[in-house]
Amino acid sequence: MKDDFYIGYQDQSPPSLARSTRRLVVALAMIVAGITALVAARQSPAEPGTFEFGVKRSFEGVLQENPLPMLRSVSPDGAVTNYLLVGAGKHGLPAFARGHDGQRVRFQGTVIQKGPGVLVELNDPESFLVLGPSTAAENRAADKSIGEVVLTGELVDTKCYFGVMRPATGKVHRACAVRCLSGGVPPGLLVRDDQGGAVVVLLSGPNARPLRFDVAWAARRVRAEGRLTWRGSFPCLEVVRLSLADSELP
Amino acid sequence: MSTTYRAIDWNRQKRVYDGTLGGLLALGLGLFVGISVLVSPNITVETLLIRGSSVSALLLLHVILCIGPLARLNPRFLPLLYNRRHLGVTLFLLALLHGAFATVQFHALGDENPLVSVLTAYGRDYRVFADGRINLPHFPFEPFGVLALFLFFLMAATSHDFWLRNLGASFWKAMHLGVYLAYGSVLVHVALGVLQSERGAIFPGLLAVGFVVVAGLHLAAARKETRIDRGKPLGEADGYAETCRVEDVAEGRGKVVLVAGQRIALFRHQGRIHATSNVCRHQGGPVGEGRIVDGCITCPWHGWNYQPEDGCSPPPFTEVLETYDTRIQDGRVWVRTIANPPRQHCAGTAVTAT
Ligand code: HEM
Ligand code: FES
């Protein structure tokens, strides 16, 4: 019996103890495997979306700074694409791209995409070129007005939502959304329907100004009232009234 | 029984222990990453790292918390306890990986220092009452992670015996009881964080099971201890207290008894009964649950040695355990209620055939 007393600094553990220790380790391995497998299997699946981190593409078009920073690009065949523009990290349109409203520009940037919505991260100041004033054809508004609506949903930051972050919504992401919105990333309203569908509506203020709002409302349910317009693949709401939804605390 | 800060001896058992720990970690992380990629193909490397490290850290924390009481309940678990320090340091490294990646992912490259943002991004969420309602679902969860990480750091950084020495055993012990505060903090971190976003009963269920296992084992171990303490009072006469029967102390073995409200370790070595304090000078392990090995009382936790005749650790070590005079009367061991002066030689009491 003296055998099965364990002394850690000895080189060998007594054989009977070694056997029972091996059994313990096997049991522990089964517990570890079972629990990690269960937790991994039951996490809710990450949303789709791509962030072409480290990849740069060339873009050319008309820069629109307000109310939402966008690039309108007209391809040779006349197709118009609107890109929503953000800065590197947790920032909105960078300083080097500001002050060129309505001008033709060319730059290199990184694509962030979810579904039909494409964002471009402007992360290369050297590549940014102002080519001159835009043509009348480029300026023809291709927006489609829908009308007055009242929408309720989660206030999100568009950069994370369209592909940079998983999760990009809810409480675990709230602090990040606060940082991004406070850094000037355009706000969006994540509206869900009963069928599990979801769409993000870009939010702007009245009179072609950016939306003024409290970043502490990030990741909270808010109610937005205003005029809805499709600009390319982005639904945009010119907000006249914004409040926390009734279900939320102040 | 190192008295200086020196490189830790590496022996085969330590290598086996660390190898097993590494293997179990690789198993858990591998399964987590593999299954996550299957069920959630859009998951990013950052999220895999953040979640993989936190889930392994939480599992490891439960193992660490269970080993103590399990070893009190059954000596078969003692081999897991010996290098528990390695588990604590590994836990800290996993928690650091998780905390650092979460801080970078959710706070870096913004308009505020990430280390500040971790605490301040939540703004008014810190108000427990808002508008007459309780704000718990919105209460910030990351600061609880920060607190836990800080505590894990303190414990990992001071886990070497050098610090046990230099900080003093009782301060060191008190600080390392911080593991319970850290555990509570992690539970709140998860309950206010990921449980507010993830739906379904499986995560709260697992946390609850974990808590019940940890708490249950601690209660069971405490019950076993108090059973010794609550033993019915036996005789006391001229400064000696009656304890167990002589046969209860086998040759080469120890037994924990109660003397004047204090746990005392009895040992029988070469036919003589010796009594010492039950509290190991190292980390307070239960000396009386140890054995005599090579003529020395040997603590079951980390194998510190004391000579039965004077309570001194064999040279060159300098630890001293209190010893108590004994006598045998009507087949029972009596122990003097006052300890001998330190290092005093005390031959013990010979057991005569009965
Ligand atoms: C600086 C300290 C910490 C920060 C900033 C932090 C932050 C976070 C964040 C943001 C999440 C949600 C991540 C997600 O769902 O993708 C999370 C979850 C979690 N944290 Fe922490 N944490 C910290 C420390 C800790 C510590 C010390 C532990 C202890 C083991 C821990 C355990 C967990 C667990 C188990 C989860 C749920 C699983 C997961 O989503 O990763 N955290 N933490
Ligand atoms: S407590 Fe560590 S050897 Fe006794």
Side-chain angles (χ1 to χ4, degrees), chain B residues 280 282-285 299 301-304:
Chain B
C280 181
H282 179 217
Q283 287 182 13
C299 176
W301 280 12
H302 313 92
W304 278 29

Side-chain angles (χ1 to χ4, degrees), chain B residues 297-318:
Chain B
I297 294 172
T298 304
C299 176
W301 280 12
H302 313 92
W304 278 29
N305 290 141
Y306 307 94
Q307 294 159 170
E309 313 79 46
D310 55 8
C312 294
S313 289
F317 302 111
T318 52

Side-chain angles (χ1 to χ4, degrees), chain B residues 195-237:
Chain B
L195 293 194
Q196 301 299 320
S197 291
E198 288 279 350
R199 297 283 156 232
I202 205 85
F203 298 110
L206 278 176
L207 277 189
V209 169
F211 179 77
V212 167
V213 168
V214 168
L217 285 173
H218 278 79
L219 286 177
R223 205 117 110 263
K224 188 175 171 191
E225 313 258 284
T226 48
R227 217 177 302 138
I228 302 173
D229 294 349
R230 275 205 316 258
K232 64 174 174 359
L234 301 166
E236 220 180 302

